[in-house]
Amino acid sequence: MTEPAAGPAQPFGEASDDVDWEALRLRAVELMERAYAPYSRFRVGVAGLVDDGRVVAGCNVENAAYGVALCAECGMVSELHATGGGRLTAVFCVGSDGQALMPCGRCRQLLWENGGPECLLMTPEGVLPMTAVLPQAFGVDDLRHAEG
């Protein structure tokens, strides 16, 4: 499909070609504009493609108790599960400039758990698989191994 107009996107393999990155970016921008960020004024939006074709999205929601703020990816993953579950296949996170924004560490873990190693992420450096975004990730297999 199409690459985003903004950012130095470089497709990662054939799977990236099947993603309408510009549509994901536009949905992420739409949600970013709805973010509740009165303290930091750092608005974030995210949109993700689900393996069944749905698009789920979220925005950050701050709280006066800063530690309990919700990242945009938290809202997106909540929508994923609230609307039937599935696996994320591609994700685009944006800041207030509408450009690709790298998720924080907690959110990279959320993406890993809900998309796995094959999930693609648009980053400021282009499209990357989660194996490059969160190398040597900790996941459910590690917990199963511990139960042993």
Side-chain angles (χ1 to χ4, degrees), residues 13-142:
E14 294 177 17
S16 179
D17 295 339
D18 297 334
V19 176
D20 187 343
W21 290 105
E22 180 63 7
L24 285 179
R25 188 186 74 79
L26 291 173
R27 181 71 174 134
V29 167
E30 179 184 349
L31 270 285
M32 175 272 298
E33 292 170 350
R34 298 179 186 176
Y36 178 72
Y39 308 106
S40 72
R41 306 228 187 297
F42 189 75
R43 299 179 306 156
V44 178
V46 67
L49 180 64
V50 183
D51 57 4
D52 64 6
R54 283 177 296 138
V55 172
V56 292
C59 62
N60 60 319
V61 178
E62 293 182 346
N63 189 292
Y66 294 145
V68 295
L70 297 175
C71 295
E73 295 85 350
C74 295
M76 178 185 67
V77 167
S78 181
E79 182 180 347
L80 171 70
H81 291 284
T83 61
R87 302 293 284 168
L88 294 168
T89 60
V91 175
F92 203 132
C93 181
V94 301
S96 60
D97 62 358
Q99 302 299 306
L101 180 68
M102 183 60 84
C104 71
R106 175 178 80 163
C107 291
R108 292 180 201 195
Q109 183 68 30
L110 278 173
L111 296 178
W112 182 273
E113 298 250 346
N114 291 278
E118 299 85 19
C119 182
L120 300 174
L121 178 66
M122 179 59 75
T123 75
E125 295 183 358
V127 178
L128 294 175
M130 285 304 299
T131 53
V133 175
L134 192 62
Q136 301 181 38
F138 180 86
V140 67
D141 290 337
D142 294 297

